[in-house]
Amino acid sequence: MPKINFKKKNIKKDGQMKDNGKRKRRFARLRGMRDVLPDEYKYWNLVLCKAAKLAETYSFNRIDIPVLEQMDLYERSSGKTSDIVTKEMFSFVDKSGDRIALRPEATPGMVRSYIEHGMFNLPQPVKLFLLGPLFRHEKPQSGRYRQHNQFDLEIFGESNPAADAQLILIAYNFFRELQIEVQIQINSIGCEECREEYCRQLVEFYKERGKRAKLCNDCKKRLAKNPLRLLDCKEAPCIELKEEAPQIVDSLCDNCRNHFIKVLEYLDELDVAYNLDPHLVRGLDYYNKTVFEIFPLNSEDQGRQISLGGGGRYDGLVEQMGGRPTPACGFGIGIERAVSQVKEKNIPIKENNKADIFLAQLGEQARQKAMVLFEELRRAGFQIREAFTKDSLRSQLEIANRMGVKFSLILGQKEIMDKTILIRDMESGIQEVVDCKKLILEIEKRLNNGK
Ligand code: HAM
């Protein structure tokens, strides 16, 4: 047996280790990072199960991709001037000298994977979904974390507006079935051609007398580099200015306009309520045509409120990343934000890991036998629990009570000798001795009778 030197005098009352009389430094989680503790996990389970179930119903296949990718992947897709790339990426040079980033969003990695694994050879569309963590070095605040999780869906190889509408429908169903009321903001940002003319109008608008000076410093730079980004700025003066800005829907070419009208028609037919937001552009460079964003219903200030999810079409991205021309669209929902909505609304959660039976033991020999019996009953399919490290019967029955089981089985020295076991009805406290050979039958009888 190896000797472990946990001298008692080195351990403080609160369990912390002392180092030559000095208190050892405790670690805290990094800023903007969260622990999801067991108490909260029931909400996560509800949200994650809803996501996986919906994805399955609409024929999306689950995929996992690495959290680390080359930094260039994001620079070339999310956009060199996007906030995600310029301000928020957790990036570093690794030991081999490669520029690496923790994924700030899922779409670029999904596109890389689609191209790298030749998924264009599969029957199209290819519908993929991901549930996993993303990392953004943002200023932490309520609902904004440096590690968050997304339910991300992507459809590759489909240009039909029915695909855009289906994504919005899934997002809408996701929240509605979690009893979270949402509003959907939608817009079309057209194709490169419509955008060229629109961006010219936008620059002209912002260059009108007095407007440029009111813009935030970032937006002054954006005006030269990427004027569409001005519409996505969260600074109050920029939000105010944009109210008067020209609307891109007026510059859409016939193809983009028809596509947008079709998406809206499908949504009308499906009874999915939406609001047209003529200045919605989303903060990533790859989008074209449909863009949408989901907010909690009745939230006051659109400019500042927290978005629950968003997405859109990105028909040029696969080709831009070295693949074949492939129309595509997708969306991402923030899991933490969905969980927080569920918690806020006190939506009742069904406990589906409830046990029926508790197996208690008394004495060393009984503990050994009970451990074996536990495995037999578990394999037989019973929802059974234990506390084998406890010696006292009283504390075991207290645990059984807290777990809300219907019956406790009690095995002691006498029962081992007699080849029997006690069955205790936890509600009435009545105990019966049963023959070990008949145990399974006796349990089934009681469970089925609801006795
Ligand atoms: P996004 O709008 O950047 O889009 O993020 C999607 C959702 O993730 C947001 O609406 C929000 O609910 C959640 N989220 C984002 N950042 C944070 C954060 N710091 N803390 C907590 N939740 C956050 C994308 O990521 C796109 N890739 C979506 C997409 C997929 N577009 C096409 N396909």
Side-chain angles (χ1 to χ4, degrees):
M1 280 272 275
K3 249 187 159 181
I4 302 170
N5 193 11
F6 277 129
K7 283 188 193 148
K8 252 202 167 151
K9 62 178 182 164
N10 284 339
I11 303 176
K12 300 202 98 187
K13 264 194 195 147
D14 61 1
Q16 249 189 279
M17 293 291 284
K18 280 190 287 186
D19 184 8
N20 298 332
K22 278 192 222 141
R23 187 181 279 260
K24 279 202 172 173
R25 183 169 79 87
R26 276 186 176 182
F27 290 96
R29 58 190 189 277
L30 294 174
R31 207 162 116 76
M33 305 279 182
R34 297 182 69 237
D35 295 319
V36 181
L37 301 179
D39 262 358
E40 201 187 340
Y41 227 94
K42 57 177 185 271
Y43 300 104
W44 277 70
N45 273 336
L46 181 82
V47 168
L48 297 176
C49 287
K50 175 58 66 193
K53 190 78 205 133
L54 275 174
E56 186 192 332
T57 304
Y58 292 95
S59 308
F60 285 78
N61 288 312
R62 186 157 183 177
I63 169 171
D64 272 322
I65 53 172
V67 289
L68 285 177
E69 299 266 7
Q70 290 177 43
M71 202 148 84
D72 289 3
L73 177 77
Y74 302 107
E75 288 174 348
R76 268 174 56 193
S77 52
S78 314
K80 269 198 160 151
T81 55
S82 64
D83 279 358
I84 277 188
V85 168
T86 54
K87 299 181 188 163
E88 295 166 7
M89 255 201 308
F90 278 91
S91 53
F92 58 97
V93 176
D94 75 0
K95 291 193 172 76
S96 333
D98 293 326
R99 293 165 73 234
I100 303 287
L102 275 167
R103 61 183 187 200
E105 58 148 338
T107 313
M110 299 283 257
V111 170
R112 192 246 333 117
S113 183
Y114 174 84
I115 300 169
E116 193 173 345
H117 296 284
M119 289 189 227
F120 40 79
N121 291 319
L122 300 173
Q124 305 292 300
V126 171
K127 297 168 103 178
L128 304 173
F129 84 100
L130 175 144
L131 279 164
L134 303 157
F135 305 85
R136 297 182 188 179
H137 200 277
E138 295 191 81
K139 202 167 155 209
Q141 48 181 268
S142 159
R144 182 172 297 158
Y145 308 108
R146 290 189 172 166
Q147 175 176 340
H148 76 278
N149 287 266
Q150 271 187 32
F151 171 35
D152 182 272
L153 286 110
E154 312 289 353
I155 304 180
F156 292 101
E158 185 57 80
S159 59
N160 195 312
D164 313 35
Q166 186 179 69
L167 287 173
I168 297 170
L169 174 71
I170 295 171
Y172 179 73
N173 283 343
F174 174 82
F175 288 109
R176 206 185 47 170
E177 289 170 23
L178 288 172
Q179 299 173 50
I180 302 166
E181 287 187 280
V182 292
Q183 49 177 314
I184 295 167
Q185 307 289 339
I186 187 169
N187 192 22
S188 170
I189 56 167
C191 59
E192 261 178 45
E193 279 94 82
C194 351
R195 251 194 326 262
E196 203 179 308
E197 165 56 19
Y198 176 66
C199 285
R200 202 187 48 73
Q201 288 177 25
L202 208 56
V203 172
E204 248 173 46
F205 166 79
Y206 281 107
K207 281 192 173 162
E208 281 169 17
R209 235 163 62 115
K211 284 188 184 139
R212 199 176 176 283
K214 287 187 192 153
L215 291 172
C216 72
N217 285 340
D218 279 346
C219 277
K220 282 181 186 137
K221 287 182 210 145
R222 288 171 184 142
L223 194 56
K225 285 188 183 158
N226 194 344
L228 217 57
R229 288 277 76 79
L230 269 90
L231 301 178
D232 199 40
C233 182
K234 303 289 179 273
E235 297 295 325
C238 305
I239 293 175
E240 205 185 308
L241 267 180
K242 100 173 160 185
E243 295 306 317
E244 300 294 315
Q247 303 189 353
I248 192 162
V249 275
D250 298 329
S251 306
L252 294 182
C253 65
D254 284 350
N255 179 14
C256 291
R257 184 175 303 106
N258 289 339
H259 184 98
F260 193 37
I261 290 170
K262 264 283 170 225
V263 175
L264 300 182
E265 279 175 3
Y266 286 125
L267 294 179
D268 289 338
E269 204 57 40
L270 289 161
D271 244 346
V272 175
Y274 56 83
N275 298 323
L276 294 171
D277 178 348
H279 293 129
L280 179 70
V281 289
R282 307 252 315 125
L284 299 155
D285 275 1
Y286 46 69
Y287 290 117
N288 69 314
K289 292 186 177 163
T290 322
V291 285
F292 62 95
E293 196 127 352
I294 300 148
F295 295 95
L297 189 71
N298 300 330
S299 33
E300 321 250 280
D301 181 351
Q302 276 300 299
R304 273 186 212 156
Q305 82 179 28
I306 266 193
S307 133
L308 297 176
R313 187 159 272 287
Y314 52 93
D315 292 332
L317 186 60
V318 177
E319 190 179 7
Q320 192 189 314
M321 301 304 287
R324 297 177 188 173
T326 307
C329 49
F331 75 74
I333 287 175
I335 297 294
E336 283 78 1
R337 293 183 187 180
V339 167
S340 141
Q341 291 285 317
V342 174
K343 278 170 76 179
E344 242 173 61
K345 305 245 148 55
N346 285 325
I347 292 162
I349 309 275
K350 256 200 278 153
E351 299 266 3
N352 48 8
N353 60 348
K354 236 177 150 220
D356 295 317
I357 316 162
F358 186 92
L359 177 52
Q361 36 69 40
L362 204 59
E364 191 47 36
Q365 206 190 350
R367 183 175 1 238
Q368 280 183 13
K369 294 264 182 232
M371 286 171 89
V372 175
L373 179 60
F374 182 88
E375 293 308 307
E376 283 170 15
L377 294 174
R378 186 182 65 79
R379 276 196 286 267
F382 293 109
Q383 292 299 317
I384 185 163
R385 300 289 181 269
E386 50 71 44
F388 290 147
T389 53
K390 300 277 178 221
D391 294 324
S392 120
L393 182 61
R394 193 170 148 193
S395 55
Q396 290 178 69
L397 291 180
E398 272 170 16
I399 295 171
N401 239 334
R402 277 204 301 275
M403 288 178 170
V405 294
K406 296 184 180 103
F407 305 102
S408 284
L409 308 176
I410 304 169
L411 191 65
Q413 196 61 32
K414 180 171 184 319
E415 286 74 29
I416 293 175
M417 306 269 279
D418 299 348
K419 297 196 169 34
T420 59
I421 193 160
L422 286 178
I423 302 187
R424 180 187 174 96
D425 184 312
M426 294 303 284
E427 209 179 291
S428 64
I430 295 170
Q431 297 189 163
E432 278 179 69
V433 182
V434 300
D435 186 338
C436 265
K437 283 195 198 119
K438 294 185 188 155
L439 178 60
I440 290 194
L441 228 92
E442 289 291 333
I443 298 174
E444 276 170 350
K445 196 170 82 189
R446 283 167 173 77
L447 290 178
N448 292 338
N449 287 350
K451 265 205 325 186

